[in-house]
């Protein structure tokens, strides 16, 4: 049993160090890069057949639920999460990533350019909510 715990700890350490390497190696990542990697990931595993818009939407909703659970009983949370442990922040990163990745896949299978759609929405919101009395920072 002790041997099993040692192997598990080694695996967790390797995964964490892999995570840190990925985090350092890819500073600015485009939506297109993520979309392409996700498509390759699904294709080599034979999962593409399961990635219908409906299935991806339901998976996205499930991940949003998991993200919500992180905040569920915390009350208001300060910007920057100053009172959160590094493990809590890492868990949040993982759940946010799950949501982002499913959202990118959903847009892709629907044939939409999520980046362009987001930029267009920002412009539309700027027209809808013009600056009336800007606050100085």
């Amino acid at each position: 049993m002790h041997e099993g715990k040692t192997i598990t700890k080694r695996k967790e350490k390797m995964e964490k160090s892999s995570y840190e390497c990925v985090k350092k190696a890819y500073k600015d990542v485009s939506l297109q890069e993520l979309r392409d990697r996700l498509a390759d990931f699904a294709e080599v595993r034979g999962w593409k057949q399961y990635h219908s818009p409906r299935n991806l939407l339901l998976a996205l909703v499930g991940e949003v639920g998991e993200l919500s659970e992180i905040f569920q009983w915390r009350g208001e949370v300060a910007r920057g999460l100053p009172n959160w442990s590094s493990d809590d922040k890492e868990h949040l990163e993982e759940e946010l990533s799950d949501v982002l990745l499913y959202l990118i896949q959903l847009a892709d299978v629907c044939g939409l350019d999520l980046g362009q759609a987001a930029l267009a929405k920002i412009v539309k919101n700027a027209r809808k909510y013009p600056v009336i009395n800007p606050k100085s920072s």
Side-chain angles (χ1 to χ4, degrees), residues 32-43:
Q32 182 175 345
E33 171 75 12
L34 293 172
R35 185 197 68 213
D36 293 346
R37 285 178 177 251
L38 287 165
D40 291 345
F41 186 89
E43 190 165 336

Side-chain angles (χ1 to χ4, degrees), residues 110-130:
C110 290
L112 305 174
D113 183 330
L114 188 58
Q116 289 301 313
L119 289 173
K121 183 64 175 174
I122 290 170
V123 170
K124 186 175 183 178
N125 285 344
R127 287 188 199 122
K128 186 175 179 181
Y129 305 105

